[in-house]
Amino acid sequence: MIRDNQYRDAQREQQTKEILEALWTRVDEMSSVEKEHLKYFINHNNKPLLDRNISYPYEHLLNSDWVHKTQYTGNKLISRKVNIINDNGQTEAKEFTYSVKYQYILKEPIYKILKYSWERYGRISHFD
């Protein structure tokens, strides 16, 4: 019985390592903005991420099968600072305000494994 338990524990550990390896590889391929979104979900207990009406490419996190997406019905606005190059070639920060169009959360299994990875290993990819 002890050997059976040890075998099952070893199998679970191996499966977890394989899942984490696949997860880290996928996260490695993400942009820095997508990684920041993932960290937002982890740090805010999968609280909805509010975003404006942007058409993301198919492979982008917020347009992937990792998230649930729905239209936002509230009246909250988002302010974002963006660096703009002016006519003189100088970079200046400008703040823009947008209406929220969508809200996103991670699907529960993705959230749980990301949270586990962050708490256990302090990272969500090979390079963090």
Side-chain angles (χ1 to χ4, degrees):
M1 187 170 166
I2 291 174
R3 284 188 200 159
D4 287 344
N5 287 339
Q6 289 173 336
Y7 176 77
R8 278 193 294 274
D9 289 346
Q11 288 295 318
R12 265 190 239 117
E13 182 69 25
Q14 181 61 33
Q15 287 174 338
T16 301
K17 285 181 181 179
E18 290 171 6
I19 291 169
L20 286 172
E21 182 62 33
L23 174 85
W24 292 344
T25 299
R26 171 67 177 97
V27 174
D28 288 344
E29 297 168 353
M30 291 183 177
S31 70
S32 60
V33 171
E34 292 170 294
K35 291 175 186 175
E36 288 303 315
H37 289 329
L38 290 175
K39 289 175 184 175
Y40 169 87
F41 289 124
I42 293 167
N43 292 329
H44 294 90
N45 296 315
N46 210 19
K47 177 182 169 188
L49 173 71
L50 305 178
D51 202 8
R52 58 193 173 165
N53 187 14
I54 294 181
S55 179
Y56 290 105
Y58 175 73
E59 64 277 355
H60 191 279
L61 170 67
L62 297 182
N63 200 27
S64 74
D65 61 352
W66 280 25
V67 297
H68 292 293
K69 169 186 172 183
T70 190
Q71 287 194 338
Y72 179 73
T73 57
N75 57 4
K76 192 168 186 169
L77 298 174
I78 301 172
S79 293
R80 295 233 168 94
K81 289 187 179 180
V82 178
N83 290 327
I84 305 273
I85 299 175
N86 62 24
D87 295 336
N88 300 333
Q90 302 290 325
T91 302
E92 59 182 273
K94 287 198 174 190
E95 188 168 346
F96 294 93
T97 302
Y98 304 97
S99 296
V100 175
K101 178 75 173 181
Y102 296 106
Q103 58 184 340
Y104 304 85
I105 59 169
L106 288 173
K107 290 183 177 176
E108 196 64 22
I110 298 292
Y111 170 71
K112 284 182 178 179
I113 193 68
L114 282 166
K115 184 88 169 172
Y116 172 80
S117 175
W118 187 258
E119 289 173 350
R120 173 82 195 260
Y121 298 100
R123 60 189 172 118
I124 58 172
S125 75
H126 291 104
F127 298 99
D128 282 349

